[in-house]
């Protein structure tokens, strides 16, 4: 049980480090091309909007948590 918990924590720490070092990954829908095949021909990828990269889930969670922290700790000018 302890070994499994340790491996899980190491995996989470590794993913967090990956999200900090490389926040963007290739889009899975278009495989990083920015285009998808449709019945009418080739169209811009709807998931990445042709940018070819997407923000990783872990980085999205980190950005949201940071935004909440910044908003909650911002000095209030009305209470000086």
């Amino acid at each position: 049980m302890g070994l499994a918990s340790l491996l899980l924590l190491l995996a989470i720490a590794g993913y967090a480090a990956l999200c900090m070092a490389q926040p963007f990954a290739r889009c899975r829908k278009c495989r990083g091309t920015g285009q998808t095949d449709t019945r009418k021909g080739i169209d811009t990828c709807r998931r990445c909007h042709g940018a070819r990269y997407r923000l990783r889930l872990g980085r999205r969670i980190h950005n949201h948590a940071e935004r909440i922290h910044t908003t909650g700790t911002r000095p209030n000018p009305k209470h000086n």
Side-chain angles (χ1 to χ4, degrees):
M1 183 70 175
L3 181 62
S5 298
L6 179 64
L7 289 176
L8 181 65
L9 286 175
L10 285 175
I12 291 171
Y15 183 67
L18 177 68
C19 289
M20 292 297 147
Q22 294 178 340
F24 293 97
R26 289 188 331 160
C27 178
R28 289 178 295 196
K29 180 84 172 173
C30 65
R31 294 187 184 104
T33 62
Q35 301 173 345
T36 55
D37 293 331
T38 62
R39 291 182 208 158
K40 297 179 183 178
I42 297 175
D43 199 10
T44 304
C45 178
R46 292 189 305 173
R47 185 173 289 170
C48 67
H49 305 289
R52 300 187 297 189
Y53 293 101
R54 62 172 178 81
L55 197 59
R56 293 182 193 271
L57 177 65
R59 187 59 186 212
R60 222 175 300 138
I61 291 170
H62 174 267
N63 288 349
H64 184 70
E66 187 175 351
R67 194 173 310 119
I68 288 173
H69 175 73
T70 303
T71 305
T73 58
R74 188 172 296 155
N76 193 350
K78 294 180 183 177
H79 294 89
N80 282 335

